Amino acid sequence: IKNGFEYFLRQNNDGKVTKNKAGYLANSISKGWGERNEEQKKADRKSEISAEIKKKKELYEKHYYQTIVLGDKELELLEKDLERLYKEVGHPRWKDVWKLG
């Protein structure tokens, strides 16, 4: 029920439900719309990780090119976060995947 309701809310907020909202809601709940299988959940997580990696890489790049300077602790935490994220998506070392300069 929760998945169906959340699906309805997402669709409604995106402006995709224009007519018969009650019927759309009833169908989304009764037909299990919005339920995510494991493959879809993995794809969602990979997208979340990609967005987080992009944000952290931009920060790292700014430090590398000295447009901002991070402290030693901040830089260490940033590198650990990138390492963790890349491991989660199956890369052994983030620096092997992403080179600067």
Side-chain angles (χ1 to χ4, degrees):
I1 293 172
K2 180 181 176 187
N3 289 336
F5 183 71
E6 288 174 351
Y7 177 81
F8 167 77
L9 288 178
R10 283 193 307 274
Q11 296 295 93
N12 189 50
N13 290 341
D14 290 345
K16 295 178 181 176
V17 182
T18 56
K19 298 178 183 176
N20 194 7
K21 292 184 180 194
Y24 199 98
L25 174 60
N27 281 331
S28 66
I29 291 171
S30 66
K31 295 181 179 180
W33 295 349
E35 290 183 16
R36 312 291 287 164
N37 64 31
E38 287 304 312
E39 191 172 307
Q40 291 167 325
K41 288 177 186 176
K42 285 180 185 178
D44 290 346
R45 179 63 184 142
K46 196 169 187 176
S47 293
E48 290 171 8
I49 289 172
S50 294
E52 191 174 348
I53 285 174
K54 182 181 177 190
K55 188 169 75 172
K56 290 180 186 288
K57 282 185 353 184
E58 286 173 358
L59 180 60
Y60 189 82
E61 189 174 50
K62 287 178 182 179
H63 173 80
Y64 182 84
Y65 292 112
Q66 298 181 343
T67 55
I68 65 163
V69 179
L70 300 173
D72 291 341
K73 283 273 189 209
E74 292 170 309
L75 184 59
E76 184 180 335
L77 288 173
L78 179 61
E79 288 178 342
K80 284 182 180 181
D81 278 348
L82 283 165
E83 190 80 28
R84 175 185 55 80
L85 293 167
Y86 270 102
K87 281 182 182 175
E88 192 171 338
V89 293
H91 294 290
R93 286 183 35 86
W94 70 278
K95 287 184 179 178
D96 293 340
V97 177
W98 182 62
K99 305 271 186 215
L100 288 171

